[in-house]
Amino acid sequence: MKKIIVGNWKMNPPSVEEAVSLARAVAEHVKHPMFNKNVEVVLAPPFIFLYKVYETLYGGKVKLAGQDVFWEKAGAYTGEVSPAQLKNLGAAYVIVGHSERRALGETDEIVGRKLTAVLEAGMTPILCVGEPADVRERGMEAAKEFVGKQLEVIEHKVFEGIIAYEPVWAIGTGNNATPGDAAEMITLIKSLVTSYRLPIPVLYGGSVTSGNAGDFLNREEIDGLLVGGGSLNAEEFGEICRGA
Ligand code: 13P
């Protein structure tokens, strides 16, 4: 199966010029004749940069993702962005339920509505799950139970999307999960959720760097990476993608 590597830029970079130059540099890496054809690269810029990044990537292989979305189709929802608007700007994927959104109050119910809205709009959701530090401190079984509960948002356990396992304690801390623990959790996730187009891709995210990317990508259970900080530098992100 193809490995999927998603660069989540979060609230970066500060200017549209930097967003365009970062996207252009990533596209150059992916265009290289030696670049692994079995790697799908996806960029998730902030909403306000999507259109310019879409123009920059147009006709190339790099795909686009929204970092979030609203669940309603249209109407009086100041500040929100609809699935149709995201799709119109070229987004093929949408990150849903990132722990940074959950920390701002996003509940499982909201996550569920967003998943439905993204699927109805014909895009692929990237559902983020992962346990916080206090749960992981109680051991791997407690972490598995927590993640299993988060997956209950998936109705009837059938999901036509991607899942990213991002332990909260590993995000932006430099303290990545071990590839073995990530693979164990991902195996559990795959056993809890199915898809009509089996197998369902499950990514790892949390302090991925060019130094550890290969260790994750070499595990057959791990179908790719969701990269935050490491995606903000085109050289580093190119190295991460070459780890596959
Ligand atoms: P870092 O790679 O910066 O730890 O962030 C991971 C993440 O949250 C990607 O969505």
Side-chain angles (χ1 to χ4, degrees):
M1 192 157 69
K2 259 194 171 183
K3 299 279 183 181
I4 302 164
I5 303 184
V6 185
N8 175 10
W9 293 356
K10 307 191 180 185
M11 203 168 68
N12 301 290
S15 72
V16 68
E17 292 80 9
E18 287 160 279
V20 165
S21 84
L22 178 54
R24 189 174 291 136
V26 170
E28 285 302 319
H29 282 288
V30 176
K31 242 186 353 206
H32 195 279
M34 297 295 281
F35 191 82
N36 187 340
K37 302 275 177 299
N38 280 322
V39 176
E40 164 129 315
V41 177
V42 181
L43 296 180
F47 290 146
I48 45 162
F49 299 149
L50 265 173
Y51 188 62
K52 276 288 178 193
V53 171
Y54 170 64
E55 281 186 331
T56 305
L57 300 176
Y58 188 79
K61 294 201 182 80
V62 180
K63 299 279 193 322
L64 268 182
Q67 293 182 12
D68 187 24
V69 71
F70 194 56
W71 59 82
E72 293 289 351
K73 290 191 172 72
Y77 302 103
T78 302
E80 295 294 346
V81 173
S82 76
Q85 289 170 330
L86 276 184
K87 196 175 180 190
N88 179 250
L89 291 191
Y93 300 92
V94 184
I95 298 171
V96 176
H98 192 283
S99 66
E100 288 153 14
R101 304 274 350 143
R102 294 179 192 256
L104 291 170
E106 193 157 303
T107 60
D108 280 337
E109 192 204 331
I110 293 174
V111 170
R113 283 194 214 172
K114 290 183 174 183
L115 289 178
T116 305
V118 170
L119 287 164
E120 279 177 0
M123 294 177 288
T124 302
I126 303 172
L127 169 64
C128 298
V129 295
E131 79 286 357
D134 60 325
V135 172
R136 181 67 182 89
E137 276 157 20
R138 285 192 267 125
M140 198 61 185
E141 288 313 307
K144 285 180 176 175
E145 197 186 316
F146 187 94
V147 168
K149 281 228 168 62
Q150 285 182 319
L151 290 173
E152 287 172 8
V153 293
I154 297 173
E155 281 176 38
H156 312 301
K157 306 206 177 306
V158 180
F159 186 55
E160 303 307 316
I162 296 170
I163 296 176
Y165 170 55
E166 294 207 300
V168 180
W169 48 268
I171 295 176
T173 58
N175 181 21
N176 58 281
T178 64
D181 282 355
E184 189 178 330
M185 186 66 88
I186 285 172
T187 302
L188 170 85
I189 291 169
K190 290 180 180 183
S191 75
L192 293 176
V193 181
T194 55
S195 143
Y196 292 117
R197 52 171 179 89
L198 281 164
I200 181 163
V202 185
L203 320 180
Y204 167 77
S207 297
V208 171
T209 65
S210 55
N212 61 27
D215 298 336
F216 291 104
L217 293 167
N218 286 335
R219 305 283 305 221
E220 66 171 319
E221 304 93 327
I222 304 178
D223 301 305
L225 301 167
L226 182 49
V227 186
S231 70
L232 296 175
N233 176 296
E235 283 313 307
E236 170 72 358
F237 191 57
E239 276 299 312
I240 289 170
C241 294
R242 276 192 292 275

